[in-house]
Amino acid sequence: MIVVHHLNESRSQRILWMLEELELPYEIKRHQRDAATRLAPPELKEVHPLGKSPVITDDGRAVFESAAIIDYLIRRHGNGRMAPDPKTPAYDDYQMWLHYAEGSAMLPLMLFMYVTRLGEAGGPLQPRIEGEIANHLGYINAALEGRAFLVGDSLTGADVQMSFIAEVAKAFGKLADYPNIAGWLERLHDRPAWKRALEKGGTYNLGR
Ligand SMILES: N[C@@H](CCC(=O)N[C@@H](CS)C(=O)NCC(=O)O)C(=O)O
């Protein structure tokens, strides 16, 4: 049985969504952020030493890091669904999106969150951070021009992985100039599997 270690209001929401899209049986083990620090509780380190979420267990081992989990679920349990054929250029695109989300696009958004907490002291860093956010959101917005999904004509793990970038950007009020991202996110939110995952995951207020 696949077990998802789900931290409230976190990246593990996209793993619940992924599992709902694949209609796989799974269990949720819930972990609660510390109300003051927003950090994960120490017991998550018993699942994997980093103590981060998402982490899943399956077949007696832990798999961590969102993109690796998405890739694992699709390869091991997808039966050909939600990823292009590995021999096609579409698969290369799919892999690039999987890596790009946390490898590049998330960084300026995280920096924005932390530097904003510094108040005035963080001011000198903000123009550079805003410039990078615009660079990444502009790129994603252009990639979605005239497209329903990031790769091909149907939902893939790339959309699931990249959705969190859009979630965070929206929570930080950064989507006004990026209508393709905003529309794509809205369509993802309309999917029955998304709604089921949200119901199972509980509160999902990002940006705090
Ligand atoms: N790049 C990792 C990030 C994992 C991560 O930082 N998760 C956050 C939740 S969104 C976390 O566990 N935060 C609590 C903490 O750091 O204690 C992934 O995508 O899995």
Side-chain angles (χ1 to χ4, degrees):
M1 175 63 89
I2 298 164
V3 178
V4 182
H5 289 267
H6 177 57
L7 184 67
N8 59 308
E9 290 155 358
S10 84
R11 290 165 170 92
S12 49
Q13 186 62 43
R14 67 183 154 191
I15 304 304
L16 302 183
W17 173 34
M18 176 86 216
L19 286 158
E20 290 294 332
E21 289 286 351
L22 289 174
E23 298 183 308
L24 294 173
Y26 67 97
E27 275 174 22
I28 303 178
K29 172 95 179 58
R30 294 174 196 280
H31 304 268
Q32 202 67 20
R33 287 182 187 270
D34 181 283
T37 65
R38 306 286 293 157
L39 290 175
E43 80 256 13
L44 252 182
K45 291 197 170 165
E46 289 161 24
V47 187
H48 183 275
L50 285 174
K52 301 284 178 192
S53 174
V55 56
I56 65 163
T57 56
D58 187 27
D59 253 348
R61 62 192 292 253
V63 184
F64 75 103
E65 194 63 42
S66 306
I69 295 170
I70 288 170
D71 178 57
Y72 173 92
L73 291 173
I74 287 173
R75 269 187 301 110
R76 295 286 183 102
H77 299 287
N79 289 323
R81 292 169 295 165
M82 292 191 70
D85 177 344
K87 294 187 199 78
T88 62
Y91 189 80
D92 303 332
D93 292 342
Y94 161 79
Q95 282 292 332
M96 285 188 267
W97 287 118
L98 279 190
H99 287 268
Y100 168 71
E102 294 285 338
S104 295
M106 189 52 106
L107 178 63
L109 290 165
M110 295 301 287
L111 285 174
F112 174 79
M113 183 177 83
Y114 288 122
V115 169
T116 299
R117 288 181 191 166
L118 293 174
E120 268 182 38
L125 289 168
Q126 289 290 14
R128 177 69 191 273
I129 292 170
E130 290 291 355
E132 273 305 298
I133 290 176
N135 183 24
H136 287 286
L137 295 182
Y139 172 69
I140 301 162
N141 196 65
L144 283 165
E145 181 65 39
R147 305 188 60 90
F149 302 99
L150 282 167
V151 180
D153 300 329
S154 59
L155 186 85
T156 68
D159 297 291
V160 177
Q161 175 69 353
M162 283 294 297
S163 68
F164 197 71
I165 302 299
E167 298 285 5
V168 172
K170 185 179 174 196
F172 293 167
K174 304 279 183 212
L175 284 190
D177 294 336
Y178 307 103
N180 296 338
I181 303 178
W184 169 69
L185 187 62
E186 240 172 66
R187 292 193 300 279
L188 299 180
H189 285 176
D190 279 342
R191 297 179 70 89
W194 170 268
K195 290 179 182 162
R196 288 198 303 274
L198 194 59
E199 221 165 86
K200 292 187 182 170
T203 57
Y204 191 43
N205 300 316
L206 301 174
R208 287 199 283 143

